[in-house]
Amino acid sequence: MNKSDGLTVRRHKRHDVALDATIALAPEHAGAVRFKPPPGAAENTAPVSLVDVGEGGFGVVSTVFIPRQARIRLRVADPRDPSGPAMLEADGLVQRVTMTDRRPAYLIGASFVDESAIGEALHRLLGILGGEGPDA
């Protein structure tokens, strides 16, 4: 997000997706929210649906509330090989949280903490989503 004349505007295009992913809280925020993972899931992780991603950040739908300004770790498994290496692992900073329905479910928008650290993996993922490259 970018400040322009007092307005917050998006700098990067977001791509709508529907991918299974998980989030975990950064160690410094792990005491604020405690996840109860489903059987077989890693401790202190929550399953989410990745609904958009771009060079500046990502959006997920979660049944777990995550407060604004919390640092989270996103892991997007490769749908072609869920037990293999992740397509994307990135740290994010929660910028917005909106309750979407009575389940409850929350739409969580986050910015990437360090865009340069995830550049190659993100560009590969965006290429696959855009139908580009050998993995598409």
Side-chain angles (χ1 to χ4, degrees):
M1 298 281 177
N2 181 357
K3 300 284 185 191
S4 176
D5 294 329
L7 301 174
T8 302
V9 294
R10 191 177 306 277
R11 294 183 323 207
H12 303 286
K13 178 181 177 186
R14 292 282 181 104
H15 302 271
D16 293 332
V17 298
L19 294 170
D20 291 335
T22 59
I23 57 171
L25 285 164
E28 62 267 26
H29 294 147
V33 177
R34 184 132 178 103
F35 297 143
K36 182 178 180 186
E43 191 68 28
N44 291 326
T45 64
V48 296
S49 294
L50 181 67
V51 294
D52 67 60
V53 64
E55 292 184 23
F58 57 91
V60 297
V61 173
S62 171
T63 57
V64 176
F65 176 80
I66 306 292
R68 286 184 67 236
Q69 300 303 307
R71 288 180 73 127
I72 57 175
R73 177 96 176 146
L74 172 73
R75 183 180 192 282
V76 182
D78 187 334
R80 301 165 295 187
D81 182 13
S83 62
M87 283 199 319
L88 178 66
E89 287 191 70
D91 293 329
L93 181 66
V94 175
Q95 300 293 336
R96 62 181 163 76
V97 181
T98 306
M99 187 175 197
T100 60
D101 59 45
R102 292 176 20 172
R103 278 182 268 182
Y106 304 94
L107 178 59
I108 299 169
S111 59
F112 290 119
V113 172
D114 185 1
E115 294 174 32
S116 63
I118 56 145
E120 184 179 323
L122 179 62
H123 287 282
R124 187 175 62 248
L125 173 63
L126 294 176
I128 292 168
L129 295 174
E132 303 168 6
D135 292 337

